[in-house]
Amino acid sequence: MPETGTQHRHIDRAEQLESAARLTAREGEGDEERQALFFEGPQEIGKSSLLLEIYERHSANGVYFVDLSRTAAEHDVLESLAMQARRQEVAVPAYRTTRDRFAERSSSPQVDMTNVRMRHATFQLIAQGEDRGLRTASLSDALLDNLVAEARRPVICLDSFEACARPMRDWLARSLLPNLLSRREVSVFVAGRQVPRLSHPDTALVRTLVLPPFDVRAVREWIETLGFTSLTEKAAAIQEANGGVPGLLHEFFADHTEPANGGTARTQDRPIRAIADDQDSRDG
């Protein structure tokens, strides 16, 4: 389960959050046929925070969040979803049964290959690889059937797609995501510096949104929300210095100390323009 709290709430991103709400409700122009939104953008642009906000807004329903940077294999993704389902009192009996059946098969005695010719050994290795693919597909089918049972409409959030190794990326794009989209009850949100490229006809069910930097209005709203009155007239300069990048703005505001009794505001002795220098060094 992801860490949640007000620190993840976006001041901006109203357009993206409205699109997410329409998608889960299957209403609104152009969104009624879509099931997935992919959020793409560079580091620090706020992809994970947006995904966490969507997660929080659907907490009363069946909602699942998987940080792909912390999952090493396909089984880890499925097991994370299953564990979250159990915490939400969603039974996953088909998944458990399928998992136990494959566990029993994998623990059965192995064929002794000592006196088998190499071509047979090669065949055995291929068979084992095919069995792993069959196991993953069977587990995925069983789990998703459980998640949508009893007219449930689960929301699946997958973060940090770019952190996946190639085998995991291929499985997500070619297997898990198409499997999710084949169930019309499911809504899917994916975030990453790069996002999956699906094949036809699944592409028609997905909308990809590139997240832009925050504008001056959003920075001013953030300042007002924090109660930093000394910065009210500096919103444009702060936005420009940080390029509107939410991650850099967060660092700037986290370092800011609001003056007391008419004193001078301090941001850890770092002037606004210093943040721009930091950004230039990172870009370089």
Side-chain angles (χ1 to χ4, degrees):
M1 181 179 295
E3 177 186 357
T4 59
T6 55
Q7 68 268 28
H8 296 299
R9 292 190 179 277
H10 271 287
I11 299 300
D12 202 13
R13 306 304 187 205
E15 178 183 349
Q16 291 82 2
L17 290 169
E18 289 172 4
S19 294
R22 288 197 304 269
L23 184 140
T24 56
R26 299 294 191 272
E27 61 184 25
E29 296 183 6
D31 285 320
E32 64 276 3
E33 296 300 324
R34 292 197 176 95
Q35 283 181 254
L37 282 179
F38 292 175
F39 301 114
E40 189 172 52
Q43 185 176 5
E44 307 264 13
I45 204 66
K47 303 178 297 296
S48 297
S49 296
L50 177 57
L51 216 59
L52 285 166
E53 180 68 13
I54 292 171
Y55 175 90
E56 288 189 351
R57 292 189 180 203
H58 290 86
S59 60
N61 304 318
V63 59
Y64 304 84
F65 189 105
V66 179
D67 183 349
L68 296 172
S69 67
R70 299 183 180 183
T71 54
E74 296 91 331
H75 173 76
D76 297 329
V77 175
L78 299 177
E79 191 62 22
S80 176
L81 294 172
M83 291 177 62
Q84 292 178 60
R86 289 192 290 268
R87 284 197 292 265
Q88 298 178 57
E89 299 184 351
V90 174
V92 289
Y95 174 78
R96 290 202 311 269
T97 300
T98 305
R99 183 186 59 188
D100 293 345
R101 174 162 52 86
F102 279 105
E104 291 173 0
R105 287 177 54 178
S106 64
S107 62
S108 60
Q110 300 296 311
V111 176
D112 184 0
M113 304 300 295
T114 304
N115 296 316
V116 179
R117 293 182 180 180
M118 181 57 67
R119 67 175 182 273
H120 294 159
T122 302
F123 173 80
Q124 177 68 12
L125 290 174
I126 293 173
Q128 288 178 356
E130 291 176 345
D131 184 68
R132 178 182 176 185
L134 174 62
R135 177 184 61 196
T136 302
S138 298
L139 286 169
S140 177
D141 284 337
L143 177 60
L144 298 184
D145 285 344
N146 287 158
L147 296 187
V148 301
E150 300 179 6
R152 283 186 287 264
R153 300 176 60 86
V155 174
I156 311 293
C157 300
L158 304 175
D159 192 27
S160 302
F161 177 77
E162 80 284 346
C164 298
R166 184 60 180 269
M168 175 80 83
R169 289 193 190 194
D170 290 343
W171 174 72
L172 288 165
R174 299 175 185 175
S175 182
L176 181 63
L177 286 169
N179 202 354
L180 287 168
L181 296 175
S182 71
R183 292 161 168 80
R184 292 294 294 162
E185 307 92 333
V186 180
S187 299
V188 183
F189 300 94
V190 180
R193 288 179 229 174
Q194 302 94 35
V195 293
R197 300 294 186 255
L198 304 185
S199 301
H200 181 78
D202 296 317
T203 50
L205 302 175
V206 177
R207 182 184 179 192
T208 297
L209 300 177
V210 178
L211 297 186
F214 281 1
D215 58 17
V216 176
R217 179 198 57 78
V219 174
R220 185 176 293 112
E221 183 180 352
W222 199 344
I223 291 170
E224 292 172 355
T225 299
L226 293 171
F228 290 165
T229 57
S230 68
L231 299 179
T232 302
E233 302 302 322
K234 302 176 182 178
I238 294 171
Q239 189 274 344
E240 180 181 0
N242 292 276
V245 177
L248 299 180
L249 288 164
H250 175 76
E251 291 180 11
F252 177 81
F253 291 132
D255 287 342
H256 177 76
T257 301
E258 189 66 9
N261 301 323
T264 302
R266 297 177 65 83
T267 309
Q268 296 292 328
D269 295 322
R270 300 171 72 200
I272 292 173
R273 294 307 308 179
I275 304 296
D277 295 337
D278 288 350
Q279 185 180 354
D280 291 341
S281 64
R282 293 187 190 194
D283 292 342

